[in-house]
Amino acid sequence: MLRNKINIIYLGWLIAVLNIFDGVTTAYGLKNGKIEELNPIMAFLWRMSPLLFLALKFSLSVLIVIISMLVYKKGSKKFQGIYSVLLVGVCCVYLGIFFLHIMWLSFL
């Protein structure tokens, strides 16, 4: 079960970093007309204010780290296991997004 606890910390940080990378590269792509934002909520925020868009991405990264730390320290073993599985799923999604960004960035 210690493995789940360690995974919570590492995966939480990895997701936070990938989310910030996604925010910065998406902002670059949107600003330069290279990509479109597919998430309607984030597209709305971008149209309202690019700074608000980036602030939300950064805030969500901080939030995932804080929640992961709380689950690591205070979560039950069962919940830590479930949370670890969910983090792996989110991590897979963000790794896919990461590789999409790398792909379109390589064509610039």
Side-chain angles (χ1 to χ4, degrees):
M1 201 44 70
L2 180 62
R3 177 184 235 166
N4 279 342
K5 290 184 82 161
I6 293 170
N7 288 343
I8 289 169
I9 299 300
Y10 289 137
L11 289 172
W13 276 102
L14 179 59
I15 291 166
V17 169
L18 289 171
N19 186 45
I20 290 171
F21 176 82
D22 172 45
V24 170
T25 55
T26 299
Y28 173 81
L30 291 171
K31 183 178 178 189
N32 293 297
K34 303 294 183 189
I35 61 169
E36 293 180 28
E37 177 58 66
L38 298 178
N39 179 334
I41 296 169
M42 296 309 286
F44 173 75
L45 286 173
W46 176 262
R47 287 190 303 274
M48 283 186 60
S49 166
L51 186 58
L52 181 61
F53 173 89
L54 288 170
L56 181 64
K57 291 297 271 184
F58 180 77
S59 297
L60 290 173
S61 292
V62 170
L63 187 61
I64 193 69
V65 170
I66 290 170
I67 291 170
S68 295
M69 295 293 242
L70 288 172
V71 171
Y72 172 82
K73 290 181 179 180
K74 299 184 181 201
S76 69
K77 290 183 182 191
K78 182 177 180 180
F79 185 73
Q80 287 173 348
I82 294 168
Y83 188 76
S84 292
V85 170
L86 293 173
L87 285 178
V88 168
V90 171
C91 194
C92 289
V93 169
Y94 269 105
L95 284 172
I97 293 168
F98 172 80
F99 287 116
L100 275 173
H101 283 302
I102 293 297
M103 195 166 57
W104 71 258
L105 284 169
S106 67
F107 290 116
L108 295 180

